Amino acid sequence: MRSAAPGMLLVLIMAQPNMATGMMPYYRHAWDLAPLLTTVIFAAYLFALTPTLSFIGTPPSRAAWWWRIGLGSACGIGADLAMSLADSAGPACVARVLAGLSVGLVTGSPAGLILERSGEGGRTAMATATVLGSALGTIAAAWVAQYLPAPGVTVYLGHAVLFGIVAIVVVLDRSARDRVVVGARGSAQPSVEPPIAGYLNGIAAWVSAGLVVALLPSYGAELLDTSSLPLLALPVTLYLVSAWIVQRAVPPGALPGEPIVGQLAIIVGVALAATVAAAPNLALLLAGAVVAGCGQGIAYRTGLRIVSAATPPDQHARVASRYAAVAYLCAAVATIGFGVVATVGTMQDAVIAAALVLLAVAAATVLVRKRAVPHTITPAPTEATTTTA
């Protein structure tokens, strides 16, 4: 339970801002939202999240985890209450800002707790909890809004209660007993990948997530001519679940050229989704979501692994927060850009623009890695036979 509670909190933290995703077609119809306003609502969360992570969400030590968890959880419950009362884009943006404050304050602290209590496996657990929470928030909100009374209210009130209970459990258990020391055999060695390659992977992962979360449900509604919230939430959910599954099924470092493989999969998936405009087909849209989701899971985990290589547990919260801040800020800017393109042009134009942006990020990653290779192999070529178990 001590190891599970921080993971449960991280799942609930990530579920909160994603619940609006499952209901976005409902909000778009009820509030008469243009695509640009839809992306602004999404980006309001990221714009609040990024400075919070950068300036106050990066705890310098274990002692600083607890007040961040408490205050961030209070902001999260406030976001639930505000969203349950929202009746237009303005109040929804206020709720999203509170959600950004919540995620920004809390994310790094459970990350440190998970690594402290679970050891090296905590790195995969953190990425898994992030994606799993996003998926559960999306699909649960869609089903509740579709089949239970008071759409947009019931799901947020239920989340607020569960969120509060788990947050209290985590804050009350501050003991460092049973601390798991991360093994020096695999994690103490510095990464041969340049840190910028890790950040570029995080950017690619979250730019694609911004596209999928903010616009894909509306894109599907427009092309497939349906108003079923669970059906429209399905591509987003499959995207997120695929990202979670691939992190569990494929061991870190198992793929050759992993820092670029994940990004290429994202691009292929987005390209598949773009073809739905020419041949409207739910199966094709779902296939694109699955492929892009697999790429997102690989890219996000790979980036986190690169930037946190050889980081001791008590500093991992800071590194994880910094990594997320960079990725989220880029995702916010890109998502609003996609919203502008969709409003001036079409949803298909926005998807094509996203594919071009992701291609540019992948090209930058290739260039950065190519330039870093000579520096990693030329100083001591005779050490090539030395391996780390």
Side-chain angles (χ1 to χ4, degrees):
M1 182 61 185
R2 298 194 72 241
S3 297
M8 291 174 61
L9 182 63
L10 195 52
V11 167
L12 290 169
I13 281 287
M14 297 309 302
Q16 202 287 330
N18 285 280
M19 291 190 292
T21 302
M23 296 186 290
M24 193 52 72
Y26 163 77
Y27 289 136
R28 188 181 179 196
H29 174 73
W31 299 344
D32 192 24
L33 298 176
L36 179 57
L37 272 180
T38 301
T39 56
V40 167
I41 291 173
F42 174 79
Y45 157 71
L46 292 177
F47 280 125
L49 169 62
T50 302
T52 306
L53 275 171
S54 301
F55 298 111
I56 58 176
T58 53
S61 65
R62 190 181 191 280
W65 292 348
W66 311 107
W67 71 263
R68 286 174 170 81
I69 292 176
L71 180 58
S73 298
C75 289
I77 294 172
D80 283 331
L81 297 178
M83 201 67 191
S84 69
L85 297 173
D87 58 0
S88 63
C93 285
V94 172
R96 298 285 288 175
V97 167
L98 287 171
L101 294 174
S102 173
V103 176
L105 282 166
V106 179
T107 300
S109 300
L113 272 173
I114 291 170
L115 189 65
E116 176 185 271
R117 297 176 181 179
S118 301
E120 185 61 28
R123 301 188 193 277
T124 297
M126 284 182 291
T128 298
T130 300
V131 176
L132 183 59
S134 301
L136 289 176
T138 300
I139 194 63
W143 277 92
V144 170
Q146 184 77 29
Y147 297 111
L148 293 183
V153 176
T154 307
V155 63
Y156 284 105
L157 295 183
H159 179 270
V161 172
L162 186 58
F163 191 2
I165 292 172
V166 176
I168 290 172
V169 170
V170 172
V171 171
L172 290 179
D173 185 9
R174 304 187 188 187
S175 173
R177 66 186 184 277
D178 302 326
R179 185 186 180 104
V180 177
V181 178
V182 178
R185 292 171 63 85
S187 61
Q189 300 298 321
S191 174
V192 296
E193 297 286 350
I196 187 64
Y199 285 108
L200 287 170
N201 269 267
I203 290 169
W206 279 97
V207 165
S208 73
L211 171 74
V212 170
V213 170
L215 289 179
L216 197 59
S218 297
Y219 180 69
E222 185 177 289
L223 296 178
L224 302 176
D225 192 25
T226 179
S227 60
S228 171
L229 295 181
L231 183 61
L232 293 173
L234 188 57
V236 180
T237 305
L238 285 178
Y239 168 87
L240 296 167
V241 170
S242 298
W244 173 59
I245 290 175
V246 77
Q247 291 179 45
R248 306 300 298 179
V250 181
L255 298 174
E258 193 172 66
I260 195 64
V261 167
Q263 294 188 49
L264 292 179
I266 292 173
I267 294 167
V268 171
V270 171
L272 281 174
T275 62
V276 175
N281 184 282
L282 178 61
L284 190 60
L285 185 62
L286 297 181
V290 169
V291 173
C294 289
Q296 200 273 355
I298 293 170
Y300 182 81
R301 183 187 63 187
T302 299
L304 181 60
R305 183 166 57 86
I306 291 172
V307 302
S308 65
T311 301
D314 62 349
Q315 292 298 311
H316 193 273
R318 292 176 61 84
V319 174
S321 294
R322 189 185 310 119
Y323 171 73
V326 172
Y328 294 158
L329 178 60
C330 293
V333 173
T335 301
I336 289 182
F338 301 151
V340 171
V341 172
T343 301
V344 174
T346 65
M347 290 283 187
Q348 183 188 16
D349 294 334
V351 175
I352 293 173
L356 294 176
V357 169
L358 291 166
L359 276 170
V361 175
T365 304
V366 171
L367 181 61
V368 165
R369 296 183 72 225
K370 185 176 181 180
R371 288 184 174 180
V373 166
H375 299 290
T376 60
I377 63 176
T378 56
T382 57
E383 295 180 3
T385 56
T386 302
T387 60
T388 302

